[in-house]
Amino acid sequence: MGFEKFGQVGYISQTKVAPLISYLQKGVVAGTRCKNDGKFYFPPRADCLDCRKSDMEWVPIESRARLVTFTQVFFGPPAFEQSTPYTLGLAEFENGLRVFAPISKDLDRDELKPEMELVLRPRHVGEGVFYQLEKP
Amino acid sequence: MARVAIVGVGHSKFGKRSDASLRELAFEAYSEALDDAELESSSIDGSVVCSATHYDKQRSPAGVVAEYLGLNPKPTFNVEAACASSAVGLRTAWSLVSSGLHDVFAVVGVQKMTELSNKEIQELMGRAGDVMWESPFGTTMPSYYAMYATAHMARYGTTEEDLAGVTVKNRKYGAKNPKAMFQKPIGVEEVLKSRPVSTPLKLFDCCANADGAACLIVSNAERAKKITNKPVWVAGLGLASSPMALAGRHGAMTSFEVTKNAAKSAYEMAHVKPNDIDVAEVHDSFSITEILNYEDLGFARPGKGAKLLKDGETELGGKIPVNIDGGLISKGHPVGATGASQITSVVQQLRKEAGDVQVDGARIGLAQNIGGIGMYAAVSILRA
Ligand SMILES: CC(C)(COP(=O)(O)OP(=O)(O)OC[C@H]1O[C@@H](n2cnc3c(N)ncnc32)[C@H](O)[C@@H]1OP(=O)(O)O)[C@@H](O)C(=O)NCCC(=O)NCCS
Ligand SMILES: [Zn+2]
């Protein structure tokens, strides 16, 4: 329980990685690391793909990421209508992992370019917590 | 490998079909396919009903569709692979028939969408992205494909005019297709001036949600030769998967790995190369998708998709005519029906029954169908 707080509209409430919510509430974006073989996952996974063990620890993720691509959404689902236009991005961390996240409204669409440096930071909106891509 | 043929095809009018229910749409396509094959229901061993069932009010639609088509008590079941449902339906029927379990099987692709608003539909479509890590941020289908468009434009210099060119081409051919939702050509300026949906995609870069059905009658070789003197053979089938989460995918986001993998399997099974394809139907859910598909199917080198289009090579008369039935952009995209619709157009080409848009001497055709945001892709290669 608790994961419904993730994002602007949470569709899922129950998952083994729900502790992400308390990390985000504390201002930390975290992934999971397999205690058996050290493999790191972001977004967090409860189960290691490499060794199939499910003994994970939470580890903060570096915040710097390079923008891969983005779009500004003008036609959103009903629950997002009030927020349009909003921008969604895909960014890559130095370790090669990627994150799909909204891009801060502080960034103008004209400023956005694939390859630019951004940072991933936790955000609160009402009851919800999530992360977004912001100016470094 | 056992030979399997398509011996009949049927296609309802696509569009805002406020006159018809799901089962009635299915009947239109099925009945036309039976007429086409000169068969009666008594010759059909069962049905696979293909639809992305969340858009339909009817749950588990195979039940009601089989009943309405008069196919009880024969086997029926649903196959769902989002927008690629009925291409996967063909794969399913191929397996049933080539295994010897059945002789003649009906693939019924059908979707009733327009009882929902486009906003409600985009909420459902956004949830055909990763519902845990992406949908909570307000994803829609156009937004996902738009991210591929942004990347392709940044890397290869593809322009919004190039994208508009896809719509202009497809709408030109759609005007010749009486089953299409939009039968009016459109100019580049009108596409460029249309309102933004998800940048850089605008209204006329998008396919429209629609109601419709298409049906394929699939048969083993022995029966096929008795049923028709124009069987169209299933030469190659490829199906592949990709992570659903965009963040789980690699590379520059300028191509769909899933299409490349499905195409590789299909080309290998059919023993053909991209050059051998005489006519193709590709998944133009959005203008950008068609350009990526040219590259991913091997019709153009990476980054050269827009050039292939501008050189006129994908027009009727070009090296590889693509979507000359109008594509999803003209026909509309009743999700579950689209794969069978594409295959129907290829079958008509290979039987030399494509009328105004007939490709001279077409012998080998290809249909490519992407599911959702590219977690599935199916490539079907057919031979006269
Ligand atoms: C683009 C889209 C969001 C527009 O929806 P909308 O803003 O609600 O549009 P409306 O229904 O208000 O339509 C306004 C007009 O544009 C037309 N129209 C709507 N979508 C259209 C489209 N994609 N192409 C051409 N015309 C379209 C309508 O027929 C209507 O015309 P009319 O005024 O003459 O009746 C919607 O078509 C859509 O969701 N398309 C994408 C579908 C999709 O993602 N499929 C899955 C792909 S994998
Ligand atoms: Zn492990």
Side-chain angles (χ1 to χ4, degrees), chain A residues 34-39 41 48-53 56:
Chain A
C34 174
K35 284 189 184 166
N36 182 49
D37 59 18
K39 182 143 170 120
Y41 294 98
C48 181
L49 259 182
D50 282 2
C51 68
R52 283 191 292 107
K53 297 253 184 327
M56 304 295 238

Side-chain angles (χ1 to χ4, degrees), chain B residues 3-5 7 97 103-104 219-228 233:
Chain B
R3 295 182 82 201
V4 172
V7 296
V97 163
D103 296 333
V104 183
S219 167
N220 65 22
E222 195 191 319
R223 289 281 295 280
K225 287 177 195 151
K226 290 185 190 140
I227 294 169
T228 173
W233 301 99

Side-chain angles (χ1 to χ4, degrees), chain A residues 66-129:
Chain A
R66 186 183 53 84
L67 188 62
V68 177
T69 186
F70 65 93
T71 183
Q72 192 175 22
V73 183
F74 285 82
F75 187 96
F80 294 85
E81 252 174 293
Q82 301 307 317
S83 320
T84 54
Y86 52 91
T87 307
L88 301 174
L90 180 71
E92 183 168 307
F93 301 106
E94 251 156 50
N95 62 15
L97 292 177
R98 290 182 172 189
V99 62
F100 185 99
I103 298 180
S104 161
K105 297 235 182 216
D106 298 342
L107 271 144
D108 237 27
R109 186 164 77 92
D110 299 338
E111 293 177 66
L112 295 175
K113 282 200 178 48
E115 301 292 334
M116 75 187 289
E117 288 274 338
L118 296 173
V119 292
L120 189 70
R121 292 214 178 93
R123 282 269 296 164
H124 295 250
V125 170
E127 284 287 283
V129 284

